[in-house]
């Protein structure tokens, strides 16, 4: 049985916290897929969402760096939602992923387990998701601590969930990265090195290249 973690997000941009969670998840899973969402209506309305191609490329470079460094293939960058109508819904993404696993790797249901990687805040909102019954039936959850969500209340959801308590709360977010860039600050301690370089090279968010 192959266990595959699905890490959904805009990754706007991918941060060291995202990277650390994915890396730590591999102690519980065989693979982790960063499932990049090309659209987010809330962020697009504020002009905060960077081009989808750039965000996917930053994830791909991070994944390539990790796999090359570890001499393994455990992290993947998925563009599955790029081939779905926008905005894409999680249940549609899961259906597409299952199709890809059968088509590309010959894996039938029962030969793998899909586990959504998320924070307690996202986990607590699952009951409001579209077609939540399909999601809950086809996926379990790997849940990380997130500030502001009570553990006892979260566990009361009665989902197929595995709780991670040994990583702690990581005080880095994509919002912090963007705000730091806008203020002219350095982000090398907030994002993987390959992401920092890519943002500089492409002037994202927008980034004014500075000499160190």
């Amino acid at each position: 049985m192959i266990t595959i973690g699905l890490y959904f997000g805009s990754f706007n941009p991918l941060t060291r916290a995202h990277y650390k969670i994915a890396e730590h998840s591999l102690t519980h899973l065989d693979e982790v897929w960063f499932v990049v969402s090309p659209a987010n209506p809330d962020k697009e309305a504020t002009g905060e969402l960077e081009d989808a191609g750039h965000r996917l490329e930053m994830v791909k470079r991070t994944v390539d760096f990790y796999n090359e460094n570890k001499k393994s293939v455990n992290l993947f960058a998925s563009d599955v939602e790029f081939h779905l109508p926008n905005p894409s819904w999680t249940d549609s993404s899961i259906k597409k992923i299952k199709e890809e696993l059968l088509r590309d790797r010959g894996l039938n249901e029962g030969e793998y387990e899909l586990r959504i990687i998320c924070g307690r805040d996202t986990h607590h909102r699952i009951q409001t998701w579209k077609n939540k019954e399909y999601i809950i039936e086809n996926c379990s959850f790997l849940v990380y601590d997130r500030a502001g969500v009570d553990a006892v209340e979260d566990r009361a959801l009665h989902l197929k969930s595995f709780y991670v308590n040994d990583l702690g709360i990581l005080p880095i977010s994509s919002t912090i990265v963007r705000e730091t860039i806008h203020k002219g600050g350095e982000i090398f301690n907030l994002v993987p090195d390959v992401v920092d370089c890519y943002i500089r090279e492409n002037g994202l968010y927008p980034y004014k290249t500075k000499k160190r």
Side-chain angles (χ1 to χ4, degrees):
M1 173 78 72
I2 299 173
T3 53
I4 301 172
L6 304 178
Y7 197 176
F8 293 93
S10 299
F11 304 110
N12 187 41
L14 184 142
T15 70
R16 286 188 182 272
H18 292 134
Y19 181 88
K20 188 67 176 177
I21 288 171
E23 183 179 43
H24 188 274
S25 294
L26 287 173
T27 63
H28 301 274
L29 307 165
D30 296 309
E31 300 175 4
V32 170
W33 294 17
F34 288 101
V35 185
V36 182
S37 301
N40 184 314
D42 293 334
K43 292 179 181 177
E44 288 176 336
T46 62
E48 295 179 1
L49 196 63
E50 188 52 79
D51 174 76
H54 283 312
R55 289 184 285 111
L56 178 62
E57 183 62 27
M58 286 187 279
V59 171
K60 284 182 175 179
R61 293 191 181 199
T62 301
V63 164
D64 289 345
F65 174 82
Y66 176 88
N67 290 334
E68 182 178 347
N69 187 52
K70 297 292 184 181
K71 294 183 173 21
S72 63
V73 183
N74 299 108
L75 290 186
F76 295 85
S78 173
D79 65 352
V80 63
E81 293 193 352
F82 285 61
H83 307 288
L84 294 171
N86 287 325
S88 56
W89 302 100
T90 302
D91 64 311
S92 298
S93 301
I94 292 169
K95 291 174 184 175
K96 188 70 172 178
I97 287 168
K98 290 163 76 76
E99 291 173 5
E100 286 189 358
L101 287 170
L102 177 60
R103 182 191 68 223
D104 299 338
R105 297 171 62 173
L107 291 174
N108 294 291
E109 291 194 36
E111 296 179 310
Y112 61 86
E113 177 188 350
L114 299 179
R115 194 171 296 180
I116 295 175
I117 301 168
C118 60
R120 288 189 183 277
D121 55 340
T122 299
H123 186 245
H124 192 68
R125 294 195 302 270
I126 287 171
Q127 298 290 356
T128 68
W129 288 9
K130 181 181 178 183
N131 293 334
K132 66 179 183 297
E133 293 82 6
Y134 177 85
I135 298 169
I136 293 170
E137 180 181 349
N138 287 274
C139 298
S140 57
F141 301 85
L142 187 63
V143 186
Y144 281 83
D145 286 331
R146 194 73 184 264
V149 180
D150 180 75
V152 174
E153 183 180 13
D154 185 61
R155 289 177 188 273
L157 294 174
H158 302 298
L159 303 176
K160 296 177 291 183
S161 304
F162 302 83
Y163 295 86
V164 180
N165 302 307
D166 59 345
L167 186 61
I169 297 173
L170 302 172
I172 302 174
S173 68
S174 296
T175 299
I176 291 174
V177 174
R178 295 194 303 271
E179 289 177 347
T180 300
I181 293 173
H182 294 160
K183 294 176 182 177
E186 298 283 2
I187 60 169
F188 61 88
N189 61 330
L190 301 175
V191 299
D193 291 344
V194 290
V195 173
D196 184 18
C197 290
Y198 188 87
I199 290 174
R200 288 173 174 275
E201 290 169 1
N202 293 276
L204 306 184
Y205 291 110
Y207 199 104
K208 296 180 179 179
T209 304
K210 298 188 299 183
K211 294 182 179 180
R212 289 181 180 164

